[in-house]
Amino acid sequence: MIENTIKETVIRLAEPVVDSLGLVLWGVEIQRAGRMIVRLYVDTHPELRQTQGVDASPSIDQCEEISRHLGLALEVEDLIAAAYTLEVSTPGLMRVFFDLEQLRPYLGDIMEVKLHMPITLGQHNDTDVACAHRRLWRGRLAAVQDDFFVLEPVTVTAEGDVYPETLPPVSLPWATVRSVNRMHIFRRPVKPGKARAENTPPFN
């Protein structure tokens, strides 16, 4: 409960300065491994993204200005009793998503999804369809609906190749999602004269 209160307070205090800089709040994360980390993500306004591209990001100076204002405001509120570190950053290439609407501009991208509970795809008695029982899914984002999204399952190799799995698309209700982030695929160079181990050509 206290985490939700902290997140709501951070959003309330940060919104005025974020808006004044022409940016948008992307989300808030709280990590408790050792010293608490309160991390605020800010992003470029959607209208600017249409002209600058989906990977256009706020500047370091903008993040520092938000951090200064937010840090002072949190001290006045005195809500967080324990020692903590405040971070303000951009979502980046491997961005975490906080709601379904944020996913819509990223159709076709590869996502990594962690669920609260495993979901089973396929039937054990169906010889034509592979079966998977997973808490972790990786796939190409195929559709976004009101309360769920659809992934086309893929395998990502250590070399950075992406191969379709022999599985049908999986529908993942947003309520079952623990976390979802975009996977930026880094293609590892293949040494001269070394053929790929897989026979199936990867996605481009």
Side-chain angles (χ1 to χ4, degrees):
M1 184 65 180
I2 185 64
E3 281 198 8
N4 289 335
T5 302
I6 293 173
K7 289 179 181 179
E8 291 170 0
T9 302
V10 168
I11 290 173
R12 173 174 58 81
L13 296 176
E15 275 183 334
V17 62
V18 172
D19 290 344
S20 71
L21 295 173
L23 304 175
V24 293
L25 275 167
W26 184 258
V28 178
E29 278 185 336
I30 296 177
Q31 295 182 356
R32 293 183 177 272
R35 186 185 182 96
M36 180 190 294
I37 298 176
V38 179
R39 184 176 293 115
L40 174 71
Y41 292 102
V42 295
D43 205 7
T44 306
H45 202 276
E47 281 77 4
L48 290 178
R49 284 187 167 274
Q50 292 179 0
T51 58
Q52 299 180 11
V54 295
D55 292 325
S57 298
S59 68
I60 294 176
D61 288 342
Q62 288 175 318
C63 291
E64 289 178 346
E65 182 173 351
I66 295 168
S67 181
R68 285 194 299 271
H69 284 271
L70 180 57
L72 291 172
L74 285 173
E75 286 185 13
V76 172
E77 291 279 328
D78 197 24
L79 174 67
I80 307 175
Y84 69 95
T85 299
L86 174 64
E87 296 181 0
V88 178
S89 64
T90 66
L93 293 175
M94 308 273 289
R95 61 183 55 216
V96 176
F97 295 90
F98 294 89
D99 60 57
L100 276 170
E101 286 303 312
Q102 291 178 336
L103 282 170
R104 293 189 186 278
Y106 297 90
L107 290 171
D109 286 0
I110 305 299
M111 301 291 168
E112 180 176 270
V113 183
K114 297 178 182 177
L115 305 176
H116 292 292
M117 298 291 292
I119 283 182
T120 301
L121 182 63
Q123 300 295 327
H124 288 283
N125 59 358
D126 187 346
T127 58
D128 296 326
V129 178
C131 182
H133 182 68
R134 301 175 185 168
R135 190 189 300 266
L136 173 65
W137 290 88
R138 289 175 176 171
R140 193 174 297 277
L141 183 62
V144 179
Q145 302 298 331
D146 291 339
D147 56 0
F148 70 93
F149 59 99
V150 179
L151 289 186
E152 297 171 348
V154 302
T155 296
V156 181
T157 70
E159 290 72 28
D161 292 324
V162 181
Y163 295 89
E165 290 196 63
T166 56
L167 290 168
V170 56
S171 296
L172 300 175
W174 185 256
T176 68
V177 172
R178 180 179 176 184
S179 67
V180 52
N181 66 274
R182 179 191 187 202
M183 293 186 68
H184 184 70
I185 309 300
F186 296 93
R187 181 69 58 83
R188 182 181 297 176
V190 178
K191 293 182 179 179
K194 182 178 179 181
R196 296 184 185 277
E198 296 84 355
N199 294 323
T200 305
F203 282 124
N204 293 326

